[in-house]
Amino acid sequence: MPAISLKVNQRAVTAEVEPRTLLVEFLREHLSLTGVHVGCDTSQCGACTVFVDGVSVKSCTMLAMEADGAEVTTIEGLAQGGKLHPMQQAFHEHHGLQCGFCTPGMVISSADLLKRNPRPTEGQVREWLEGNICRCTGYHNIVKAVLACAEGSAK
Amino acid sequence: MKEFHFHRASSVADAVAAVKGASAGKFLAGGQSLLPVLKLEMAEPSDLVSISRIKELRGVCVDGNKLLIGAVTTHAEVAASSEVKKHIPGLAALAEHIGDAQVRNRGTIGGSVAHADPAADYPAALVALGATIKTDRRAIAAEDFFTGLFETALEPDELVVAVHFPIPEKSAYAKFASHASKYALCGVMVSKTGSDVRVAVTGAGQKVFRVPEMEKALAARFEPSALDGISISADDLLSDGQASAEYRAHLVTVMAKRAVAAA
């Protein structure tokens, strides 16, 4: 089997994988990073969203082989030194979740938005999150959390 | 997903040789169309040859009156490119609404074009702007490139390396998207350069097509109202659970008017 070497949550990882292994399978089954969720497995729901080289991608629609040499950040890698990432904190404070299944993808995707557009409008937040589906909340508190995080980081 | 061998190509020549040498090889760019196809086992390649890290295939540049976009340039890169926004803003706007943010971060123009999904957005832009698809061995005019449902003029081992867009005077794209997939139920790109007006429709038919009657009317008067009373036949259009052929035919005129208004 071919080997890949990459950084996952700032840790160097080398592993042998079957070429058909999806990145999400590699993260969950080889590295036990089960915060990365598989919702639809058809690149619609966004629960599997992770950062690859700084941009958000759906890890169910990327081969692990394609992450060779890349830097991957999952929800497990966002908190630093025991302190939640500001976006995680904002979701917590604004109750941007109910069952929590979509939350890892929502948080990563929202963090990617603020990297590109630090002060998005509500409309821009809703449009950006089109690739993340939540079946509980109706999105209102998720959008509130993202906007609050944007305001907090601008202070 | 069935098993396959994986290769990472370091150059165009390397990629083409790897696919040539395989019993059933396929190029892999961003994988946003191909991986779903492989998961459904609608294709079973023996070998996948990744072209995503070939540097010469990535990026946007201007050459005279043409905008050149490398095959593995992502939709997000096209949407954010200052060159694309400056010279063909209609194309940047189109790229900004392909799929969703994560798909735009991986999906590429070359991959989309080679996959030739009848509801993809880029084919409308390529045909309306009179683009040329550059491959490892030749140049193919967009109108000759898209030959049918998921079918192109490409040879099995032929690699798209870039798309060359002549810079128009103005252009715009209007799409009525499927709410779930963001694919076009009907998308219309219009472009105007002098008296040359083109109208290209994606999502409505088996493949992208032009509407000569609309082009003629818009060449005489480039305003939405010039399309009043012009409609296309539903006969050869797609019909599915999301929209009937008649509804798609209706959308062609509505989207064409919106595109003209936005251009």
Side-chain angles (χ1 to χ4, degrees):
Chain A
M1 278 195 289
I4 55 172
S5 294
L6 62 160
K7 265 192 177 173
V8 179
N9 298 334
Q10 300 180 329
R11 191 166 60 93
V13 176
T14 296
E16 287 191 344
V17 294
E18 257 194 81
R20 63 178 163 176
T21 308
L22 297 169
L23 179 58
V24 70
E25 294 168 341
F26 177 71
L27 294 171
R28 287 179 57 86
E29 291 162 25
H30 292 238
L31 304 182
S32 300
L33 294 169
T34 52
V36 189
H37 290 168
V38 181
C40 66
D41 195 31
T42 55
S43 44
Q44 313 236 355
C45 80
C48 65
T49 302
V50 299
F51 278 117
V52 176
D53 289 332
V55 301
S56 55
V57 305
K58 291 180 171 173
S59 60
C60 78
T61 310
M62 178 170 175
L63 296 176
M65 296 298 297
E66 289 284 65
D68 186 28
E71 289 198 19
V72 175
T73 304
T74 70
I75 191 72
E76 289 90 343
L78 278 192
Q80 294 294 324
K83 196 166 176 282
L84 289 179
H85 182 280
M87 190 61 75
Q88 290 174 306
Q89 186 66 34
F91 269 66
H92 172 68
E93 284 172 15
H94 294 270
H95 197 59
L97 64 148
Q98 282 183 31
C99 84
F101 193 86
C102 71
T103 312
M106 285 284 180
V107 168
I108 300 255
S109 191
S110 302
D112 192 14
L113 169 63
L114 295 198
K115 284 208 294 188
R116 293 156 198 258
N117 180 357
R119 293 302 296 267
T121 63
E122 181 186 333
Q124 287 170 327
V125 173
R126 289 183 183 275
E127 194 173 326
W128 182 266
L129 291 177
E130 277 180 343
N132 294 79
I133 295 174
C134 167
R135 299 292 77 173
C136 300
T137 73
Y139 303 96
H140 290 302
N141 285 359
I142 292 170
V143 174
K144 260 190 228 168
V146 179
L147 291 171
C149 185
E151 279 183 20
S153 60
K155 269 175 199 163
Chain B
M1 204 186 304
K2 295 278 166 67
E3 285 184 54
F4 50 79
H5 300 286
F6 180 90
H7 312 260
R8 178 174 299 294
S10 54
S11 68
V12 170
D14 186 27
V16 172
V19 166
K20 255 194 180 111
S23 59
K26 257 197 150 336
F27 300 107
L28 173 67
Q32 301 303 287
S33 300
L34 183 54
L35 291 180
V37 166
L38 297 187
K39 285 186 188 182
L40 293 169
E41 299 188 356
M42 289 166 72
E44 296 176 9
S46 62
D47 297 68
L48 279 191
V49 179
S50 169
I51 58 165
S52 60
R53 293 193 193 161
I54 301 178
K55 281 204 177 70
E56 65 202 83
L57 295 185
R58 171 162 260 133
V60 177
C61 69
V62 178
D63 179 18
N65 64 345
K66 285 200 174 98
L67 190 68
L68 320 185
I69 303 182
V72 303
T73 311
T74 64
H75 310 321
E77 287 164 348
V78 171
S81 159
S82 55
E83 298 283 24
V84 181
K85 285 199 253 189
K86 181 176 164 199
H87 296 287
I88 318 184
L91 183 63
L94 174 149
E96 200 175 357
H97 291 100
I98 296 174
D100 55 49
Q102 295 96 319
V103 167
R104 292 192 293 273
N105 282 337
R106 285 291 299 167
T108 68
I109 188 168
S112 170
V113 164
H115 185 62
D117 191 301
D121 298 300
Y122 270 130
L126 268 67
V127 169
L129 294 166
T132 302
I133 292 100
K134 303 285 281 188
T135 76
D136 63 293
R137 62 199 70 166
R138 59 183 168 150
I140 308 172
E143 277 189 90
D144 302 328
F145 183 86
F146 298 102
T147 54
L149 196 71
F150 296 105
E151 295 205 343
T152 68
L154 290 170
E155 302 290 331
D157 59 3
E158 187 169 11
L159 177 64
V160 174
V161 298
V163 183
H164 292 190
F165 292 95
I167 295 171
E169 218 172 280
K170 48 180 156 181
S171 68
Y173 179 64
K175 134 163 113 164
F176 194 91
S178 154
H179 219 64
S181 70
K182 307 301 171 195
Y183 272 106
L185 289 181
C186 172
V188 179
M189 184 94 177
V190 297
S191 81
K192 179 182 188 306
T193 303
S195 60
D196 181 21
V197 174
R198 289 170 185 233
V199 176
V201 180
T202 191
Q206 299 268 325
K207 60 167 187 152
V208 60
F209 61 89
R210 287 173 68 180
V211 188
E213 200 185 347
M214 289 185 178
E215 295 178 351
K216 211 173 139 197
L218 292 169
R221 191 164 55 91
F222 195 79
E223 287 171 23
S225 63
L227 300 178
D228 284 345
I230 302 180
S231 58
I232 69 159
S233 160
D235 283 352
D236 294 323
L237 300 190
L238 299 172
S239 193
D240 55 31
Q242 301 193 82
S244 65
E246 290 73 23
Y247 186 52
R248 281 186 163 89
H250 171 74
L251 286 175
V252 171
T253 306
V254 176
M255 292 302 122
K257 285 185 176 187
R258 286 187 190 174
V260 172

